[in-house]
Amino acid sequence: MPHQRDAAETYPAVCGHTHLFPGVRCRLQGLPDAAAFVAAPRSLPVDLRFSDGTSADAELRAGAPGHPVLAVPAHTTAAGRTIGERAWLVREFTRHGDAVEFRLAALPAE
């Protein structure tokens, strides 16, 4: 029987860099239905895992249709650099097998 995730369970997202920046792509893993998520993203807790072995608890906020945001709290890289709290616009979601890749963009200035 497949593992059923609790509603509060965090989903891992693997990022190929030590920090986030406009254009970076991360792979969200463990979703029960990747295709359904790409079609209709929903809010969920995310464990961002960076290439230097560090991680940050983040939240994917579905918000208005077509405008999901990834909210990331302040965290520290393995090299000791502190990265401040920041929200990122999720530009797109793409299904890759059982995973969902998302690409980030800077939020427009308010």
Side-chain angles (χ1 to χ4, degrees), residues 9-62:
E9 193 167 354
T10 301
Y11 292 87
V14 178
C15 303
H17 299 276
T18 60
H19 60 284
L20 302 176
F21 52 87
V24 73
R25 295 176 186 272
C26 301
R27 287 223 176 164
L28 188 57
Q29 302 172 336
L31 295 168
D33 187 342
F37 186 86
V38 168
R42 67 184 192 284
S43 297
L44 50 84
V46 175
D47 176 26
L48 290 176
R49 298 177 182 180
F50 298 100
S51 65
D52 63 0
T54 61
S55 63
D57 294 328
E59 182 181 1
L60 182 62
R61 298 177 183 157

Side-chain angles (χ1 to χ4, degrees), residues 64-86:
H67 296 83
V69 170
L70 181 69
V72 184
H75 57 282
T76 304
T77 67
R81 180 173 179 224
T82 299
I83 307 291
E85 177 180 316
R86 182 151 183 197

